[in-house]
Amino acid sequence: MSETLQELGPYERILTIELAEADLDAAKNRAARKISRELNIKGFRPGKAPRRIVEATVGAERVRAEAIDEVLPDVVGGALEEAALEPAVAPSVEALRDVDGGGVEVDVKVTLWPTVDRVPQYENREIEVERPEIDDEAVEAQIDRLREQFAELETVDRPSHEGDYVSINLSTTRNGEPVPEVSATDLLYEIGSQSLIEGLDEHVIGRSAGVIEKFDTTLPDRFGELAGQSVTIQVLVKEVKEKRLPELTDEWVSDFTEFESLEDLRSDLVARMEEMRLGITRETFQAKLMEALLEEMELDIPEGLVNAEMEEIFHRFSHRLSDSGIEFNDYLEVTGMTQEAFLDDLRQQALRSVRTDILLDTVAESAGLEVDDGELASVYEALATQGEEEPAELATRFAGTVQEKRIVGDILRRKALAAIVEGAVAVDENGTPIDLGQEDVEPSPEAVENSARAEADGNVGAGAASEGNSAEERDVPEDHSPDGDEEE
């Protein structure tokens, strides 16, 4: 066996491996046994027929093809290790060629994880955001929303205003014939809601009890089979009702909330609104900061990496659709999105995801960030609560595996993000710094669990050699399958 390495670009390589026919002999024997177990060859028990008999039955080319498929993963893995190459996605077989005199030549495409020579400057970088302040008007609006829940309707002797409720009788006809489905008695309707029939609001607002109005309109979609039909509506305003909010007193607060006084209620609302506004400002700050850094990062992403990320994102998305009982085509129809637009959006998500990971990896390396045993242990403890294994058993099973590498990578990226956010400065429109406080940046057990569940895809070459074709005639599509599944 021999191999050569060709550089396609900064992050892509073609690894060419030549296998002599003698290198395939043992694999052919194993392939013949496997095939014979699936056949009923007269005079031989399953799996016991000699290779020459199996080749005579199914063809020597099929046995050879399956032998190549079987031997490739180990051969490619060894060649990658010898060449000190660490693929970012599963290597893909690009071509197979028969070699004169026997043997086969295999071209394997290897995509490497991109690196950035210069880390975009984030230390003391100023990002403008809106200052997270809560004014009295916002607090009072929240209190009024609470009072709305306990509002009462009181009949009034005056013309109706927007926001009032009216008790009405509706009579609907089409071409002089009654339409019972659009008729009602003693219907309570909120003026301004525009929630029933087009034109109704303007014919009841400003009217007093006893007034009758008549108008023509077209029925909206909510009326099903009647939608789109032209009808005549006669509406009788029977009563006008004003919404009366409860008086805001300590007694009312004590009776209808968990607080003893209006001051306690306001203090709690202010605290919760400030925390919520602060959280929104933090998210805005982080998003604008990352966007600025990504724009400065000049980097060509290998197509194989983008396609693999697209598949992984779509895999998670389709799982969520399936869990909700929604078919993908139904989703497109409901959202009005074409498949082309969906794929374009998926590609943009994948590009941003990959670029973000590369940025965080670069920051983690340049800042010398590390993951200690305690951080790993806390992750295994979180995983153990969702399974049957003990933390120590998980730690032993994951040690040195792809799963552990993913967990470590997830922790490092979150620590890198924390370092970026901590290093930059939030400022208001006047350039005055804003204290956004400290946020918990410990790795999310849920995200880590999803990474831990991902399995490495080592099946390089599976299906590469197809029955009935010579190696030169086989055109194997690139395998962009992601290494695993982040989210079930």
Side-chain angles (χ1 to χ4, degrees), residues 76-120:
V76 171
L80 290 173
E81 187 175 347
E82 186 174 335
L85 294 178
E86 190 171 345
V89 295
S92 58
V93 174
E94 294 290 291
L96 287 167
R97 297 177 296 277
D98 286 327
V99 177
D100 292 339
V104 65
E105 217 173 42
V106 187
D107 289 340
V108 178
K109 187 175 184 180
V110 181
T111 301
L112 306 177
W113 189 252
T115 57
V116 180
D117 294 332
R118 183 186 66 85
V119 180

Side-chain angles (χ1 to χ4, degrees), residues 126-133 281 285 288 425-436:
E126 294 187 349
I127 299 295
E128 183 180 324
V129 292
E130 185 177 343
R131 188 173 288 277
E133 295 179 336
T281 305
F285 169 68
K288 294 179 71 172
V425 180
V427 297
D428 62 16
E429 59 182 0
N430 300 316
T432 305
I434 302 173
D435 181 10
L436 297 182

Side-chain angles (χ1 to χ4, degrees), residues 461-479:
S466 56
E467 178 182 356
N469 292 1
S470 70
E472 290 181 350
E473 294 172 328
R474 300 184 195 108
D475 184 15
V476 182
E478 185 172 359
D479 176 12

Side-chain angles (χ1 to χ4, degrees), residues 308-324:
E309 184 66 16
M310 286 177 67
E311 287 201 18
E312 192 159 346
I313 293 173
F314 180 74
H315 183 72
R316 298 194 300 266
F317 175 73
S318 61
H319 263 288
R320 290 195 294 271
L321 284 184
S322 179
D323 290 343
S324 301

